[in-house]
């Protein structure tokens, strides 16, 4: 079986053409031209399986001593709720998102998690715009975002707003879609990655955000003489039959029956028939006994109260 990494060919004209059509949507949606993934059941259910231990592991050590945390773009709240046990007792945990549906799922998940038991911290979920967070300067000890900046049109502006409401830490984790590798080879998955990249960039977003996150942090003023930025790369893998089947089924639905599929066709990046072919490729790969997929996430934490070491120290 051949291991494969797709090459992503796209022209500047192909990517920029649909952007003008989305400008009105962006103005009314907090700087998002469109959330590429949408909030279909397949998307939100997949996100709801993420845990703090698996997908925010680099953030957890910084929670020690924190009494207040804001999770930006919290979605269905699985990572947010996972932070609760790491905070100081009696602390405050807030999740914000633009999707009312995702927030309702987060509230229900909170209810189910702590049913009959008082949460160790005060937990709330509310609708908010990342560029205009409804909180005071320095209101939280740590501000976190998982896979959020890849979807916004102004990631540096978003980071500055996160830094504004943070007393000390800003922690983010972003994927590099260019790092996705899989075996055995499926031509339809090559086409999926090509189309997905185009849709993201047509929305003014950056699917390889992980490669840019350190620069965005610096441009946001979070890497200065009065702060430090720590960065890690983490591999996410799907190797068991259960996980590859689940991932294959999830992406098959996402690429053929969600907002992603609609945008791909609307922007002219593929035909409706191709979305079905890509879905079939995902299902075929997911069921293969040798299926394996992995990619790289980049995690970065800025500590605004710890100075950078000076030369000679």
């Amino acid at each position: 079986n051949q291991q494969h990494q797709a090459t992503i060919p796209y022209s500047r004209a192909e990517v920029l053409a649909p952007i003008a059509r989305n400008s009105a949507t962006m103005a009314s949606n907090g700087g998002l031209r469109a959330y590429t993934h949408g909030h279909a059941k397949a998307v939100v259910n997949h996100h709801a399986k993420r845990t703090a231990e698996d997908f925010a592991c680099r953030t957890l050590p910084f929670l020690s001593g924190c009494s207040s945390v804001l999770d930006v773009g919290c979605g269905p709240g699985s990572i947010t709720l996972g932070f609760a046990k790491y905070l100081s007792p009696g602390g405050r945990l807030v999740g914000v998102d633009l999707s009312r549906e995702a927030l309702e799922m987060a509230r229900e998940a909170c209810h189910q998690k702590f049913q009959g038991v008082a949460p160790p911290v005060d937990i709330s979920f509310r609708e908010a715009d990342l560029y205009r967070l409804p909180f005071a300067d320095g209101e939280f000890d740590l501000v976190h975002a998982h896979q959020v900046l890849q979807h916004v049109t102004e990631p540096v502006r978003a980071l500055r707003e996160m830094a504004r409401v943070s007393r000390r830490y800003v922690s983010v984790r972003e994927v590099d879609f260019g790092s996705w590798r899989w075996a055995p080879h499926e031509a339809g998955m090559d086409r999926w990655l090509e189309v997905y990249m185009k849709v993201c960039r047509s929305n003014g977003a950056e699917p390889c955000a992980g490669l840019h996150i350190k620069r965005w942090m610096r441009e946001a003023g979070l890497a200065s003489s009065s702060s430090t930025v720590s960065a890690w790369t983490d591999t996410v893998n799907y190797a068991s039959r259960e996980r590859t089947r689940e991932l294959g089924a999830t992406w098959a639905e996402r690429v053929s029956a969600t907002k992603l599929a609609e945008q791909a066709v609307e922007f002219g990046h593929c035909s409706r028939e191709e979305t079905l072919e890509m879905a079939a490729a995902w299902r075929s790969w997911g069921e293969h006994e040798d299926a394996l997929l992995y990619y790289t996430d980049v995690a970065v934490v800025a500590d605004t109260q710890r100075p950078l070491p000076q030369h000679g120290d």
Side-chain angles (χ1 to χ4, degrees), residues 8-59:
I8 312 301
Y10 59 88
S11 71
R12 181 176 177 82
E14 284 179 301
V15 169
L16 294 181
I19 288 180
R21 299 200 293 269
N22 286 331
S23 58
T25 301
M26 179 186 70
S28 63
N29 202 26
L32 282 170
R33 288 196 172 97
Y35 177 42
T36 301
H37 292 189
H39 292 97
K41 185 176 180 180
V43 176
V44 179
N45 285 347
H46 183 68
H47 292 172
K49 294 178 181 177
R50 293 168 172 168
T51 66
E53 287 75 16
D54 287 340
F55 290 94
C57 57
R58 303 300 182 177
T59 303

Side-chain angles (χ1 to χ4, degrees), residues 5-313:
Q5 182 176 26
T7 302
I8 312 301
Y10 59 88
S11 71
R12 181 176 177 82
E14 284 179 301
V15 169
L16 294 181
I19 288 180
R21 299 200 293 269
N22 286 331
S23 58
T25 301
M26 179 186 70
S28 63
N29 202 26
L32 282 170
R33 288 196 172 97
Y35 177 42
T36 301
H37 292 189
H39 292 97
K41 185 176 180 180
V43 176
V44 179
N45 285 347
H46 183 68
H47 292 172
K49 294 178 181 177
R50 293 168 172 168
T51 66
E53 287 75 16
D54 287 340
F55 290 94
C57 57
R58 303 300 182 177
T59 303
L60 298 184
F62 296 90
L63 295 178
S64 177
C66 286
S67 60
S68 56
V69 169
L70 173 66
D71 190 16
V72 175
C74 65
S78 58
I79 293 176
T80 320
L81 294 173
F83 287 155
K85 65 183 178 183
Y86 296 96
L87 298 187
S88 302
R92 178 185 177 212
L93 181 58
V94 180
V96 297
D97 203 282
L98 278 173
S99 168
R100 295 177 182 176
E101 295 86 351
L103 289 169
E104 282 303 312
M105 284 190 66
R107 294 184 185 108
E108 177 60 25
C110 184
H111 174 74
Q112 293 296 327
K113 184 178 182 70
F114 299 105
Q115 193 169 22
V117 179
V121 297
D122 179 66
I123 303 174
S124 63
F125 294 95
R126 61 184 293 184
E127 188 175 351
D129 176 356
L130 170 57
Y131 295 150
R132 292 176 288 275
L133 294 169
F135 306 107
D137 294 359
E139 187 166 337
F140 298 91
D141 294 325
L142 182 146
V143 179
H144 170 266
H146 177 267
Q147 309 296 1
V148 172
L149 298 181
Q150 63 174 290
H151 298 295
V152 302
T153 57
E154 299 178 77
V156 174
R157 179 184 169 194
L159 281 168
R160 287 175 181 150
E161 180 65 354
M162 291 170 64
R164 180 187 68 78
V165 301
S166 173
R167 187 176 301 117
R168 182 165 186 178
Y169 300 113
V170 174
S171 177
V172 298
R173 177 164 164 153
E174 295 293 333
V175 68
D176 169 17
F177 264 96
S179 69
W180 282 55
R181 296 172 68 89
W182 57 82
H185 176 238
E186 279 283 353
M189 290 172 67
D190 296 352
R191 180 60 173 148
W192 157 78
L193 189 54
E194 176 188 347
V195 169
Y196 179 77
M197 292 278 207
K198 288 181 178 180
V199 173
C200 290
R201 290 183 168 127
S202 292
N203 282 324
E206 178 48 70
C208 300
L211 292 177
H212 304 279
I213 189 59
K214 285 187 69 178
R215 172 174 59 83
W216 291 342
M217 282 277 198
R218 176 178 54 77
E219 292 176 356
L222 287 165
S224 65
S225 60
S226 61
S227 64
T228 57
V229 173
S230 302
W232 303 264
T233 58
D234 293 306
T235 300
V236 179
N237 67 81
Y238 294 82
S240 70
R241 291 297 299 275
E242 179 183 0
R243 282 173 59 79
T244 58
R245 281 172 174 161
E246 179 186 0
L247 187 68
T250 295
W251 271 107
E253 183 173 349
R254 290 164 76 168
V255 78
S256 62
T258 69
K259 188 173 184 178
L260 171 60
E262 294 173 5
Q263 292 175 96
V265 175
E266 177 188 350
F267 295 164
H269 296 320
C270 70
S271 66
R272 172 59 182 158
E273 290 72 20
E274 282 183 290
T275 68
L276 300 177
E277 292 169 1
M278 290 183 278
W282 266 108
R283 290 192 188 93
S284 175
W285 169 84
E287 292 293 338
H288 198 287
E289 61 182 347
D290 299 328
L292 171 71
L293 183 148
Y294 59 89
Y295 60 84
T296 300
D297 276 351
V298 181
V300 181
V301 178
D303 181 349
T304 62
Q305 292 185 12
R306 189 178 67 182
L308 288 164
Q310 300 299 312
H311 293 296
D313 287 357

